[in-house]
Amino acid sequence: MTTSRRIQFGVFFQGVNFGTIWSSDRSGSQYDFESFRRIAQTAERGLFSAFFLGEGLRLREHFGRIHDLDIAGRPDAQTQLAALAAVTDRIGLVATQNTTYNDPYDLAKRLNSLDLLSDGRAGWNVVTTDNAWTGANFRRGGYLDHADRYRRAAQFVDAAQRLWDAGADGVGTPVAVDGDLVSFTGPAPLPPSPQGRPVLFQAGDSDEGREFAASSADVIFSAHPGLDEAIAFAADVRRRLPAHGRSVDELKFFPGAQFILAATDAEAREKAEWVTREQVSPQTAIRFLEPIWGRDLSELDADGPLPSFDPVVDEVDGQRGSLFQGRRAVETAREWRESAAAEGLSIREFVIKRSSLRTFVGGFSTIADRIVQYVDAHAVDGFNVSPYLVPEGLDDIVDGLIPELQERGVYPTEYPGTTLRENLGLPAVGERAEIAA
């Protein structure tokens, strides 16, 4: 062992997505509770810190119809997590919840309820949305200006924390919030859980998102799992912490990653080829291009070149998610066409390269050695794992990789505490207040 630090894992049970292989006969239901139970209990057997449910507020569409080549959606996150609280003991339970299309008093009470029911294991992944297409589900459209997304989020989080903290003084303690984007008066609805209040997660990668994480989050998810980029990302966010009265120990870094593992490197590479081909079928590859071109492209061969003709739209809407929203279609098509031609990539090969999740591929021992490098470099505190299969997608990590990490002394052999805050190594709520004062 070269360091006293240790790595942790969380599992990201995604919402709408194409990274989860749903078409394989090895894939379980995306709706039945059994899938959620099995993957959460497997993660807990592997001493994962958190089970994290992604959630979209509107199903993705494709030319006005439900996009049926992705995972379309799942039951409500907090409902699922409340059920999982009854069949788990230590793993944290984290729900994505939107500050744009929720009301702070109601959401604070629901999160506090989950925290109490789980004996202090609840977390909240704070997200924002300014997408008018999503907003149409709430009869509001794009009512919130882009520039106000994080201002509302900051006021929302502050209001929720004030309600949670007031509960420590007794149920019914009055709380008055008077912001320009969040305003209400109400009594603290519930007492606090053993961890004081839910742990706050945040995943924004823009400058605004990084600043918000530095000011308010306990854990930040990122799309930077490569060693050098993980070091640079953590350094950028950590340098922002002192301006908010916070120390580096108050924010944990969990980049998202996919792990494809086997007994040997060669077997893992062979498995990775199968995974990417299952994730990006010929039909998926063609549909990936269609929002940019703005028309049906089913006449094209997925093993042939990208379209030589230009799109019929100027700008891409948000029906297929943030990857496409707001793109200038002609410029994007030209860039993609030139990139694919320069590398000799077919449509399917281009889409696999363009959309593949950041992945660790290798034998158990090889990947364990790579992770030790992350620990030694203080690059991350853990990884938020996106399993490519549900519910068996964590089995290789728990049964093959984690024993190797434990042998190297960089992974826990038991949960250090009973609450999510303790298991993440975060300061207690009162200690955090003293540090920030």
Side-chain angles (χ1 to χ4, degrees), residues 34-354:
E34 175 62 17
S35 295
F36 294 81
R37 181 201 64 77
R38 179 177 165 187
I39 203 165
Q41 290 183 338
T42 300
E44 188 166 71
R45 180 166 61 85
L47 304 176
F48 277 48
S49 298
F51 178 91
F52 167 50
L53 277 178
E55 186 169 63
L57 295 181
R58 181 165 178 171
L59 300 180
R60 289 178 184 164
E61 295 178 14
H62 187 78
F63 297 152
R65 297 182 178 180
I66 298 300
H67 181 54
D68 58 1
L69 294 179
D70 284 3
I71 299 298
R74 296 203 177 96
D76 172 72
Q78 286 196 58
T79 304
Q80 286 283 12
L81 294 178
L84 289 172
V87 295
T88 56
D89 296 312
R90 290 288 185 269
I91 193 167
L93 303 168
V94 186
T96 297
Q97 297 292 293
N98 196 296
T99 61
T100 307
Y101 297 117
N102 274 294
D103 292 311
Y105 189 92
D106 172 64
L107 181 57
K109 180 181 179 181
R110 287 188 282 119
L111 288 166
N112 198 357
S113 298
L114 177 62
D115 209 22
L116 284 169
L117 290 171
S118 63
D119 291 326
R121 293 187 285 136
W124 171 21
N125 179 39
V126 183
V127 297
T128 67
T129 303
D130 67 344
N131 184 316
W133 174 75
T134 299
N137 265 10
F138 300 86
R139 303 181 71 180
R140 297 178 183 175
Y143 84 99
L144 191 65
D145 288 341
H146 181 83
D148 288 333
R149 287 188 310 152
Y150 281 110
R151 284 207 314 115
R152 176 175 166 84
Q155 293 180 28
F156 196 118
V157 168
D158 178 67
Q161 290 178 326
R162 289 175 59 185
L163 281 167
W164 296 332
D165 293 346
D169 297 326
V171 174
T173 301
V175 176
V177 176
D178 188 24
D180 62 324
L181 296 173
V182 172
S183 178
F184 67 86
T185 300
L190 294 167
S193 78
Q195 72 173 349
R197 61 191 183 206
V199 174
L200 297 184
F201 293 71
Q202 201 270 338
D205 196 26
S206 65
D207 187 71
E208 288 177 311
R210 296 183 187 203
E211 197 66 32
F212 179 75
S215 69
S216 305
D218 300 303
V219 181
I220 183 168
F221 296 140
S222 81
H224 303 285
L227 182 56
D228 291 340
E229 60 183 357
I231 292 172
F233 177 80
D236 177 70
V237 178
R238 285 177 180 139
R239 71 173 177 80
R240 303 168 188 255
L241 291 167
H244 300 283
R246 305 182 69 196
S247 74
V248 295
D249 294 330
E250 293 182 68
L251 184 61
K252 304 297 181 180
F253 292 80
F254 274 67
Q258 180 175 257
F259 286 77
I260 302 178
L261 307 168
T264 68
D265 291 349
E267 289 177 284
R269 287 192 295 269
E270 183 178 346
K271 184 186 290 187
E273 178 69 17
W274 175 81
V275 169
T276 55
R277 291 281 170 174
E278 288 292 314
Q279 288 174 327
V280 183
S281 67
Q283 296 89 345
T284 298
I286 295 296
R287 288 233 192 141
F288 186 91
L289 301 186
E290 287 179 341
I292 300 297
W293 266 262
R295 51 156 286 193
D296 183 285
L297 298 176
S298 58
E299 79 276 11
L300 298 179
D301 180 0
D303 293 321
L306 270 69
S308 59
F309 48 85
D310 284 339
V312 297
V313 295
D314 294 323
E315 186 173 305
V316 185
D317 63 25
Q319 294 189 30
R320 284 281 299 279
S322 60
L323 179 64
F324 300 92
Q325 182 183 353
R327 282 184 175 270
R328 304 300 301 175
V330 173
E331 290 87 339
T332 298
R334 184 178 301 120
E335 172 200 328
W336 286 7
R337 189 186 299 121
E338 291 174 355
S339 176
E343 299 181 61
L345 301 177
S346 68
I347 291 174
R348 192 178 187 190
E349 291 167 337
F350 172 79
V351 173
I352 287 173
K353 181 174 182 179
R354 190 84 186 188

